[in-house]
Amino acid sequence: MHRQILKRMIIAACLAMAASAHAATPVIDVYKTASCGCCSKWVEHLQANGFTVKTHKVSGPADYRQKFGMPDALGSCHTAHVAGYTIEGHVPATDIKRLLAEKPKAIGLAVPAMPLGSPGMEGPRSDPYDVLLVQGNKKYSVYRHYGTH
C-alpha cells in the first residue's frame, strides 16, 4: 500500500516538474520565408536550447517586424514573437532566456543583418556582433556583445 502511494507521489512530482519546465520556455512563433536555410538553422538552435518553436512560412517576414513594432533599421531575415516580445534576427537562445527571466519593459531583442558566427549563421569565421535591447520608443542599447572588440 505504501509503495502505491509512493509511486503516485513520484509520478505527480515528475508531471509537475515537466509542466514547470514547459512553462519556463514558452512557445516561440517564428515568421520566415520557406526557402531561408539560416532561419531553419536558428530554429534548430532554439529547439536544442529547450524552446518549443512554431514556424510560420510567410512571403514577407518584414510585415511581422512592422506588426510587432520592431524598427526596420534593425531588420534581419526572420522575426519571432514570444511572451509579448519581438525577437528579430539571429538572437542566441541564452539572451532570449535572459529577456524572459528579467522581463524588461521593451519591444524585444534584435541582431540586425545576418552576422557570421551568430546562431544559424555558423561558418568559416565569427564576426563580432551585438544583441540589442529595443525600447518602446524605438531606441536601443547593447544587451550583450559577442566577439572581440
Side-chain angles (χ1 to χ4, degrees):
M1 178 124 167
H2 292 296
R3 286 185 187 204
Q4 287 291 351
I5 293 171
L6 183 60
K7 261 190 210 178
R8 288 181 186 160
M9 288 175 58
I10 290 171
I11 290 170
C14 289
L15 289 173
M17 287 182 353
S20 170
H22 183 39
T25 54
V27 173
I28 297 180
D29 287 289
V30 177
Y31 302 89
K32 65 179 235 35
T33 62
S35 61
C36 187
C38 67
C39 297
S40 297
K41 289 181 181 179
W42 183 69
V43 166
E44 290 171 9
H45 164 77
L46 294 177
Q47 292 169 330
N49 282 277
F51 285 99
T52 300
V53 181
K54 279 188 181 177
T55 303
H56 306 272
K57 294 176 182 161
V58 298
S59 59
D63 296 340
Y64 292 87
R65 179 181 332 126
Q66 184 178 27
K67 175 183 175 182
F68 298 134
M70 184 63 67
D72 279 334
L74 302 180
S76 185
C77 55
H78 58 264
T79 301
H81 205 250
V82 59
Y85 291 106
T86 302
I87 309 297
E88 183 66 27
H90 294 265
V91 176
T94 54
D95 295 318
I96 298 170
K97 288 178 180 180
R98 176 181 161 203
L99 176 81
L100 296 175
E102 293 177 351
K103 296 182 173 77
K105 289 186 179 182
I107 292 172
L109 299 175
V111 172
M114 298 164 61
L116 289 178
S118 61
M121 292 296 296
E122 295 85 359
R125 69 174 203 263
S126 292
D127 295 339
Y129 68 94
D130 293 324
V131 175
L132 305 174
L133 178 66
V134 184
Q135 303 297 329
N137 60 5
K138 313 282 185 178
K139 293 186 179 185
Y140 52 88
S141 58
V142 175
Y143 194 64
R144 185 165 178 198
H145 175 76
Y146 289 87
T148 57
H149 39 102

